[in-house]
Amino acid sequence: MTGIGEAVRAYLPGLALLAGGAVAATLVADAVPGLQPLVVAVGIGVGLGNTVGIPEIAEPGVSADKLFLETGIVLLGAAVAVEEFLAAGPTVLGLVVAVVAGGLLFAEVVARGLFRIGSPTSSLLAAGASICGVSAVVAIGRVLDARGTAITFAAATILLFDAATLVAFPLAGEWLGLTGRQFGVWAGVSMFSTGPVAAAGFAYSPEAGQWATVTKLARNSLLGGVAVAYSLAYAARSAADPGVRRLWAEFPKFLLGFLAVAAVANSGLLSPAALASIGRVSDALFALAFVGLGLSIRVDDMRAVGAAPVGAVLVHLLAVSAVALAAVRWLL
Amino acid sequence: MASNRDDGIASDGPATGAGLVDRWTALDRGWQALALGLGIVAAHLVGQAL
């Protein structure tokens, strides 16, 4: 037994753990009216991760959660009505670019000026809060040659806000009476990491989930450009690493898959039954991913985060989400 | 791995499998998700054509 057999054996316990959590989430959500299975999946993951923890044997399989999330997003392309998204596209894209650019500058000013956080930690926090959470922290950290401790510190801060906003945004959306599209775009431009954005969107409504994911994908696609901008600003990169290569290296490739599936689905090649089946596979992958997302949220790690980064990111989040809220209410 | 090669044709299966696993794990996660997603859609297209 080598190769595929060994790999399957290594991944099986973790996959079984994710699948068990996803099945349990579906059963609980079916039994309790009003509960969203994806939210229950995150809750089960948080509960398990912070009580019994992840057994060592299950770690490889559990680490596949982000692959399931990204594959689920690729398949979500089959559920989007391209005409509707194209109609709102320029508005949403303009909002995304404005919020990312403005948010980055604002976060840098707040972190350095108000909370006296030095660089590159200020830039790691700004990138994490403005683009795509922990993956942006890691990508920009790599570009700026940041120390491992600075990256860990910034990533833990972002994770803390991922957990808090995952609960707070759907509640705020209900309270504010936002439509599914308004909430999805609002969460997509304001929240941090892709998993919690999608989870919060689907917790609100299926329509909100689609808009949140598409908006977040547009935001993620700016990571390469931001990485190039940071590397030029810090002048910390070698000449052998050209900007175009960096742009492509940081581009989320699964976004191409999402676009391809959306094109195939909207061309009429797939029957309604096939589209429904792909939707079910996407839902199942999201459920697996959200159990894994919950397992990755560790309360103990978040206690170790310092007050200054929490303050800086909180000021950024409040300001950006307030501006974004006004914009989505006005424009959508 | 050397002994596998010595086994000739019978060992090609596992060796190829190991190569596939290595190639797959070396892929960027975004490419993996793209391949899986398109594979699932392709399977549905084939399924409805049969």
Side-chain angles (χ1 to χ4, degrees):
Chain A
M1 288 284 284
T2 56
I4 295 173
E6 270 182 15
V8 169
R9 248 196 335 220
Y11 279 81
L12 211 52
L15 297 181
L17 180 61
L18 294 181
V23 169
T26 308
L27 293 175
V28 170
D30 282 348
V32 184
L35 266 186
Q36 291 279 352
L38 297 181
V39 178
V40 181
V42 177
I44 287 175
V46 172
L48 275 176
N50 288 281
T51 50
V52 291
I54 306 172
E56 200 175 323
I57 193 172
E59 280 175 2
V62 167
S63 70
D65 65 329
K66 290 192 176 67
L67 175 61
F68 294 141
L69 174 72
E70 292 179 1
T71 309
I73 290 173
V74 169
L75 295 179
L76 192 64
V80 302
V82 167
E83 284 172 13
E84 195 187 331
F85 281 91
L86 285 180
T91 308
V92 173
L93 274 181
L95 189 61
V96 165
V97 172
V99 167
V100 168
L104 267 174
L105 291 174
F106 182 69
E108 287 277 8
V109 170
V110 168
R112 291 174 192 227
L114 209 60
F115 289 91
R116 306 283 172 213
I117 298 170
S119 62
T121 305
S122 61
S123 301
L124 299 181
L125 290 172
S130 302
I131 315 165
C132 52
V134 174
S135 36
V137 171
V138 174
I140 301 300
R142 215 165 42 218
V143 170
L144 302 182
D145 286 332
R147 284 177 299 120
T149 47
I151 293 175
T152 308
F153 189 66
T157 310
I158 297 299
L159 284 171
L160 173 67
F161 280 90
D162 279 343
T165 52
L166 178 56
V167 178
F169 264 68
L171 292 175
E174 293 279 356
W175 183 67
L176 292 163
L178 299 179
T179 65
R181 183 161 76 162
Q182 286 175 330
F183 179 79
V185 175
W186 182 47
V189 293
S190 307
M191 289 174 64
F192 301 160
S193 300
T194 306
V197 169
F202 283 108
Y204 198 73
S205 72
E207 187 198 9
Q210 289 180 18
W211 278 99
T213 308
V214 172
T215 307
K216 190 65 182 56
L217 289 182
R219 209 167 130 205
N220 291 0
S221 68
L222 300 178
L223 176 59
V226 172
V228 170
Y230 264 119
S231 64
L232 293 174
Y234 276 75
R237 230 184 57 240
S238 69
D241 193 9
V244 174
R245 198 193 299 169
R246 172 63 64 186
L247 274 174
W248 177 242
E250 304 300 349
F251 186 82
K253 316 298 184 299
F254 68 97
L255 178 54
L256 301 175
F258 171 86
L259 295 174
V261 172
V264 170
N266 282 269
S267 70
L269 281 172
L270 289 159
S271 66
L275 288 173
S277 170
I278 291 171
R280 284 193 294 276
V281 177
S282 177
D283 287 346
L285 289 169
F286 276 128
L288 294 172
F290 288 172
V291 175
L293 170 68
L295 285 168
S296 70
I297 296 174
R298 294 304 174 87
V299 176
D300 283 346
D301 292 350
M302 289 167 191
R303 285 198 189 118
V305 177
V310 169
V313 175
L314 181 62
V315 169
H316 169 274
L317 176 69
L318 291 175
V320 166
S321 56
V323 170
L325 177 62
V328 297
R329 280 193 141 162
W330 180 46
L331 297 168
L332 299 173
Chain B
M1 290 301 285
S3 62
N4 281 345
R5 283 180 192 152
D6 291 341
D7 290 342
I9 294 169
S11 67
D12 281 357
T16 309
L20 272 178
V21 170
D22 288 345
R23 281 188 191 177
W24 177 257
T25 49
L27 269 182
D28 176 281
R29 193 177 65 229
W31 285 123
Q32 292 179 338
L34 185 150
L36 276 178
L38 292 185
I40 291 166
V41 172
H44 280 83
L45 279 169
V46 170
Q48 75 180 22
L50 292 176

